[in-house]
Amino acid sequence: MLDIDFPTWVSSHQSSFEDQLQQLLPKPDIAPQRLHAAMRYSVLDGGKRVRPLLAFAAGDLVGADCTRVNIVAAAVELIHAYSLVHDDMPCMDNDVLRRGKPTCHIEYDDATALLVGDSLQSLAFQLLAEHQLNNDAVQQLAMIKLLATASGSRGMAGGQAIDLTSVGSHLSVPELEFMHIHKTGALIRASVLLGAQCGPALGEVELARLDRYGKCVGLAFQVVDDVLDSEADTATLGKTAGKDAKQGKPTYVTLLGVQAAKQMATELHNEAMDALAEFGEPAGRLRDMANFILLRNY
Ligand code: GRG
C-alpha cells in the first residue's frame, strides 16, 4: 500500500482497526455488562494506535496476511490499554485524564479498573491463541512467548516497577534508559517483530535489523514523550502534561535538558533508519512510522 500517502495510510488503518477492536471486544450487553462496558470505554475511540501501526508497517515489509496482522495489532493494543488503565490508578500514577476523557477508575471505580486491566491482558493472549498467525505452529507459540516476555516482569511491568521506585531519586542516563527500554520500549519492539512474524520467516540477520529498528523507535518514542510532557499542553496531549517533573520523576529532559533530549531522539531516529537501509522500498512504512514518532506533537 505504498501507493497512498502516509496520512491516508494511517487514517485508513486506524479506522479499520477500530472496527476490528469493536468486533473483538466483548459486547457491552454480555454479562458482566459493567466490566465489558468499561473494557470498551478504555480501548475504543482513543489513542494514536502507534503500536498497531508499527505492526501493520512491519507486516507490509514482509507482505504478511492482513487478517493475521490485525490480530497481533489488537493484542499489542489491548496490552497497551491495560497498562494505561493500571498506570492511571491511585496506587500507581494516580491520574484523572487519559485520551482526553476521565480515566477508567474515575469513570467507573478502582475495582473495575483493576479487572479491566486483567481482562484486557487475558483477551490479548486469548486472541493470539485462537487465531492462526503463522503457518508454523511452533513459530506461533514463539510469538505468544514474545508478547508475554515483552509485557511481563522482564519487560513492561518490570519497567513500571523500576519507574515507581525511581520517584524522587536520581537515575543515571543508562539507568533511565534501562527503565524505558523495558517500560515503553519492550512492547513497541514486540509490535514490530510480531507484525513481521505474521509473514514468511525472516533470516537471522534481517530479524536482528528489525529488532534494532524496534529498539531504537521504542526508546525514541519515550524520549519524545518526555519532551512533550515538558513542552506540550494538557489539551493537546489528552493527558495531564508536566506531571513527571512535578512528581520528581527522572526523565530525559530533567537529566539532559530539552535540547540534548531532542538530539538524542534524532540520533535514535537515525539509527532506526540505518537499521532499515538494507530492506529498501518495502520498509517504506516503517520509515514513515519512525518519522512520525520523532516528529509527533501529541
Ligand atoms: C501498569 C504494568 C503497567 C505498566 C504501565 C506504559 C506504562 C507502563 C505506563 C504509561 C505511562 C506513560 C505515560 C508512559 C510514557 C510513554 C507512553 C507509554 C505513553 C502512552 O502511550 P501512547 O502515547 O498513548 O501511545 P495512546 O493514548 O496514544 O495510545
Side-chain angles (χ1 to χ4, degrees):
M1 274 226 285
L2 271 171
D3 46 330
I4 55 169
D5 63 28
F6 181 61
T8 310
W9 181 84
V10 168
S11 53
S12 101
H13 273 292
Q14 282 172 335
S15 145
S16 60
F17 184 62
E18 191 69 19
D19 295 344
Q20 171 82 359
L21 288 172
Q22 290 268 5
Q23 296 303 320
L24 294 171
L25 282 159
K27 300 287 173 288
D29 55 347
I30 295 174
Q33 286 91 343
R34 187 174 157 82
L35 175 59
H36 290 155
M39 287 167 73
R40 297 176 74 87
Y41 175 84
S42 305
V43 175
L44 296 174
D45 192 23
K48 298 175 288 296
R49 313 299 192 201
V50 166
R51 295 151 194 80
L53 289 169
L54 282 167
F56 292 126
D60 266 14
L61 172 73
V62 296
D65 176 343
C66 290
T67 325
R68 294 179 180 187
V69 185
N70 256 315
I71 297 297
V72 302
V76 293
E77 186 65 15
L78 294 178
I79 294 285
H80 172 58
Y82 123 68
S83 81
L84 297 181
V85 170
H86 280 188
D87 181 65
D88 289 332
M89 291 185 69
C91 59
M92 294 210 193
D93 214 27
N94 194 18
D95 216 326
V96 295
L97 187 70
R98 171 71 64 186
R99 293 176 164 176
K101 53 188 190 181
T103 48
C104 182
H105 68 279
I106 295 290
E107 184 70 13
Y108 291 87
D109 52 68
D110 287 6
T112 304
L114 199 61
L115 292 172
V116 162
D118 295 342
S119 306
L120 293 177
Q121 177 165 211
S122 298
L123 181 58
F125 289 103
Q126 185 187 327
L127 294 178
L128 295 188
E130 73 187 359
H131 294 265
Q132 184 169 6
L133 306 173
N134 194 284
N135 294 343
D136 179 355
V138 174
Q139 177 61 23
Q140 177 151 348
L141 275 178
M143 292 167 75
I144 297 174
K145 182 179 168 192
L146 176 70
L147 186 61
T149 311
S151 43
S153 65
R154 303 293 303 275
M156 181 182 75
Q160 177 78 348
I162 301 171
D163 184 309
L164 292 171
T165 54
S166 76
V167 177
S169 65
H170 177 80
L171 292 187
S172 64
V173 173
E175 284 169 336
L176 188 69
E177 186 168 307
F178 182 84
M179 174 175 93
H180 285 310
I181 281 176
H182 291 82
K183 183 180 132 177
T184 316
L187 190 59
I188 289 184
R189 201 169 170 180
S191 306
V192 174
L193 292 177
L194 287 170
Q197 287 172 352
C198 290
L202 286 170
E204 226 173 274
V205 174
E206 286 175 311
L207 206 55
R209 284 189 187 123
L210 205 55
D211 193 33
R212 186 154 74 94
Y213 166 87
K215 188 178 171 187
C216 291
V217 292
L219 197 52
F221 183 90
Q222 181 62 54
V223 181
V224 172
D225 210 73
D226 285 354
V227 172
L228 288 174
D229 187 67
S230 76
E231 287 193 333
D233 56 56
T234 299
T236 310
L237 293 180
K239 62 179 180 182
T240 315
K243 256 195 103 186
D244 292 342
K246 221 179 267 169
Q247 287 180 330
K249 272 193 184 179
T251 71
Y252 287 101
V253 172
T254 57
L255 287 192
L256 302 172
V258 178
Q259 280 320 314
K262 285 182 177 172
Q263 178 60 29
M264 183 180 175
T266 303
E267 283 163 17
L268 287 163
H269 171 270
N270 291 343
E271 195 183 336
M273 291 300 203
D274 283 352
L276 297 178
E278 298 294 320
F279 288 117
E281 178 83 357
R285 289 302 177 211
L286 287 170
R287 289 189 190 91
D288 291 338
M289 285 302 297
N291 294 337
F292 171 72
I293 283 168
L294 181 75
L295 301 173
R296 72 195 174 100
N297 55 8
Y298 69 105

